């Protein structure tokens, strides 16, 4: 069974930085896209950034220039470096991974979420 686990959330003041990490483990053959989503109170879950296995990235307009997504394929890990944090970045951040557990089976996996709170 595949497990996806985030870490690195916490409380940070506006303008500060925080780095989130997400590790996929278990019986898997390959990981395709990995990404970060977030859900703030009273709002829909939204894509923050994602990255393909080859390193192509996409970012939400609200985080462009401030956040950087990266991955280490050898470690099955994706990172989100968050700089110049704003109070509106406050949300639960979820890791997502598109994973093949067999050569024929492909599924979406989600982490449990990690809280990021930015104080003003």
């Amino acid at each position: 069974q595949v497990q996806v686990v985030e870490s690195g959330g916490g409380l940070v003041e506006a303008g500060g930085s925080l780095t989130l990490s997400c590790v996929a483990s278990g019986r898997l053959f390959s990981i395709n896209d990995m990404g970060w989503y977030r859900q703030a109170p009273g709002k829909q879950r939204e894509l923050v950034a994602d990255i393909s296995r080859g390193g192509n990235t996409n970012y939400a307009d609200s985080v462009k220039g401030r956040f950087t997504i990266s991955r280490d394929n050898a470690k099955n890990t994706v990172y989100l470096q968050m700089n110049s944090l704003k109070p509106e970045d406050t949300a639960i951040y979820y890791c997502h991974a598109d994973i093949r557990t067999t050569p024929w089976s492909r599924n979406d996996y989600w982490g449990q979420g990690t809280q990021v709170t930015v104080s003003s």
Side-chain angles (χ1 to χ4, degrees):
Q1 182 66 37
V2 172
Q3 187 176 33
V4 176
V5 180
E6 307 101 327
S7 62
L11 175 64
V12 63
E13 62 186 29
S17 297
L18 207 59
T19 300
L20 306 182
S21 299
C22 172
V23 180
S25 62
R27 295 179 179 177
L28 57 89
F29 282 84
S30 65
I31 304 175
N32 300 304
D33 288 0
M34 301 185 79
W36 292 94
Y37 292 72
R38 68 187 181 187
Q39 187 165 22
K43 299 182 68 176
Q44 298 274 77
R45 185 175 298 189
E46 64 176 351
L47 173 69
V48 177
D50 63 9
I51 183 169
S52 71
R53 182 174 180 83
N56 293 325
T57 60
N58 291 294
Y59 295 92
D61 288 342
S62 60
V63 307
K64 286 181 179 177
R66 299 188 298 120
F67 292 9
T68 301
I69 188 170
S70 61
R71 65 189 288 172
D72 186 334
N73 291 334
K75 297 180 179 179
N76 292 336
T77 300
V78 63
Y79 306 93
L80 186 68
Q81 176 66 51
M82 303 183 292
N83 299 322
S84 301
L85 282 161
K86 305 174 180 179
E88 49 263 46
D89 294 318
T90 296
I92 301 174
Y93 284 70
Y94 297 91
C95 180
H96 168 262
D98 177 14
I99 298 174
R100 289 190 183 273
T101 55
T102 74
W104 311 277
S105 300
R106 185 171 178 174
N107 296 101
D108 293 330
Y109 290 86
W110 293 90
Q112 80 288 350
T114 185
Q115 177 70 48
V116 172
T117 302
V118 184
S119 62
S120 60

